[in-house]
Amino acid sequence: MPTYVVRMDVGEGPDRGEPREFPDASAARRDAQIAIAEIARDHIPGKREAHMAVEIDDEHGAAIYRAKLEFSGYDGEEPEMDPDGSRTPQNGPCE
């Protein structure tokens, strides 16, 4: 089976990666999607913001999959957005 290097990031930067065998790239991508969902379930509760990401490279170092999940939660009204899609600075507890 082909070997892929899987790197995870739970907000502290990507780890060094772990070589894993999968039948093909599609199976590696599916496993990464399941993993990031499980990480989100474990890391988001109780937080106002969270960043998670997964990267998969093939055995030659070529990128085959990249995914990231950004979470922002807020109490009360939704924060205003700038025209570029970023949040307008607030003077609330999340800033």
Side-chain angles (χ1 to χ4, degrees):
M1 270 197 277
T3 301
Y4 299 89
V5 177
V6 180
R7 286 183 300 284
M8 302 298 294
D9 178 356
V10 292
E12 301 169 1
D15 61 22
R16 297 189 65 185
E18 176 183 332
R20 299 203 40 213
E21 290 184 346
F22 293 99
D24 54 31
S26 180
R29 282 190 298 272
R30 179 168 164 66
D31 188 74
Q33 292 166 345
I34 291 168
I36 202 166
E38 290 174 351
I39 289 168
R41 183 190 65 222
D42 293 340
H43 288 303
I44 288 176
K47 294 185 180 174
R48 292 184 182 262
E49 294 186 356
H51 165 84
M52 290 143 273
V54 61
E55 302 175 346
I56 302 176
D57 296 338
D58 69 12
E59 57 195 12
H60 305 292
I64 66 156
Y65 188 71
R66 300 288 189 261
K68 69 177 178 176
L69 181 63
E70 301 286 341
F71 171 80
S72 294
Y74 48 87
D75 298 326
E77 295 183 26
E78 185 172 343
E80 293 182 30
M81 302 296 273
D82 286 337
D84 67 357
S86 63
R87 285 191 291 161
T88 301
Q90 305 282 317
N91 290 327
C94 295
E95 303 305 318

